[in-house]
Amino acid sequence: QVQLVESGGGSVQAGGSLRLSCVVFGNTYSPYCMAWFRQIPGREREGVATIYTGTSSTDYAASVKGRFTISRDNAKNTLYLQMSDLKPEDTAMYYCAAHYVPSRSSCSFHFVYHYWGQGTQVTVSS
């Protein structure tokens, strides 16, 4: 079965950088969409960034545009989220997710993502 394993979270000062990684295990085929979400306890899950694996087309939440970059290393089956100029409001549990529908040609936060990682905590101090 597919498993996603995140790493790279931690505590940083505002203005700092982190790179999150998500390794995909257990599936012969690449997911059509991968995404990063984040969540603070008691709040709704928020989409952060998506990447369509066919073209590497990306999309970002307005709050992170210009600061975060989503990318993939296909050879390593690994998804990344490079986060720069971190702000206290970026503090959250970050999750990677994979979506498997072959008809997709782009990605959306509103898709049903079939597999999720356990999350990695990012804490940004002011």
Side-chain angles (χ1 to χ4, degrees):
Q1 187 60 279
V2 172
Q3 291 184 309
L4 309 182
V5 180
E6 301 104 330
S7 62
S11 298
V12 298
Q13 195 82 15
S17 298
L18 285 172
R19 187 179 74 164
L20 307 184
S21 299
C22 172
V23 181
V24 181
F25 297 98
N27 196 295
T28 302
Y29 307 101
S30 298
Y32 286 84
C33 297
M34 295 199 73
W36 288 97
F37 293 83
R38 63 188 182 187
Q39 189 168 26
I40 298 171
R43 301 186 186 182
E44 293 288 337
R45 180 186 65 201
E46 176 188 18
V48 176
T50 65
I51 185 165
Y52 174 59
T53 60
T55 63
S56 296
S57 179
T58 60
D59 194 23
Y60 298 90
S63 60
V64 307
K65 286 181 179 178
R67 300 189 297 119
F68 290 11
T69 301
I70 187 171
S71 62
R72 293 185 66 219
D73 184 331
N74 292 335
K76 296 181 179 179
N77 290 322
T78 301
L79 178 74
Y80 300 99
L81 185 68
Q82 178 66 51
M83 305 184 293
S84 299
D85 191 24
L86 283 161
K87 304 176 183 296
E89 53 263 41
D90 296 318
T91 295
M93 184 72 74
Y94 284 71
Y95 300 90
C96 65
H99 174 85
Y100 292 86
V101 176
S103 62
R104 303 298 189 190
S105 59
S106 61
C107 300
S108 170
F109 297 134
H110 300 103
F111 291 172
V112 173
Y113 283 80
H114 302 90
Y115 299 98
W116 294 79
Q118 292 298 112
T120 185
Q121 179 68 39
V122 172
T123 302
V124 184
S125 59
S126 60

